[in-house]
Amino acid sequence: ALYSHEADATSFYGWGGYEKGWEAVSRRWDWAEKQFQGGTVSHETISLRATAEMFYVTQIETFTRQRVAGVAGETGWSNRVTHVFVREAGEWRLLHRHANRLEAQFDPSQKLTGR
């Protein structure tokens, strides 16, 4: 209900890929529902900027006691997340979500050369 149902709604996921348009975004959320169950999620806001028609928020999103399909027991992790909201018919709607695993900073050559 929070997501924009417009054709320009998008999501970039920490589990690879991206989706564009409400139909594709909706299918991806349905997929995620089957992958991740239970646990808790908390958000630490890093920044937020708002105008009358749009706002964005950057956060650290932390999952604890999460059950993941194909993984024994419970697990947890943190993502760095950006959410972009727009006003549609007077209501705030999520237009874009970009999330990926929070990693320690590293020198790009470490990942590019396999070190």
Side-chain angles (χ1 to χ4, degrees):
L2 178 64
Y3 232 101
S4 171
H5 289 199
E6 300 297 323
D8 60 347
T10 53
S11 286
F12 294 169
Y13 296 95
W15 309 105
Y18 71 94
E19 307 299 342
K20 182 173 181 190
W22 169 243
E23 295 300 322
V25 169
S26 175
R27 282 191 304 273
R28 186 64 179 252
W29 281 110
D30 290 344
W31 171 87
E33 179 182 26
K34 293 175 182 136
Q35 304 304 309
F36 309 104
Q37 298 290 316
T40 60
V41 63
S42 63
H43 294 89
E44 173 191 350
T45 298
I46 305 301
S47 64
L48 186 146
R49 178 67 62 106
T51 69
E53 297 300 317
M54 176 181 278
F55 79 87
Y56 79 89
V57 59
T58 60
Q59 299 175 311
I60 302 301
E61 178 180 74
T62 300
F63 294 87
T64 56
R65 297 185 308 278
Q66 189 81 43
R67 291 185 310 278
V68 180
V71 175
E74 298 175 334
T75 188
W77 67 90
S78 293
N79 292 329
R80 52 188 189 168
V81 181
T82 302
H83 289 122
V84 177
F85 291 83
V86 295
R87 229 184 247 289
E88 292 179 357
E91 302 277 335
W92 288 111
R93 297 285 182 242
L94 180 59
L95 183 66
H96 177 72
R97 173 182 165 84
H98 186 164
N100 61 297
R101 289 292 279 275
L102 178 64
E103 297 181 83
Q105 291 181 345
F106 57 85
D107 185 315
S109 66
Q110 293 173 327
K111 296 276 182 160
L112 296 174
T113 61
R115 286 192 273 160

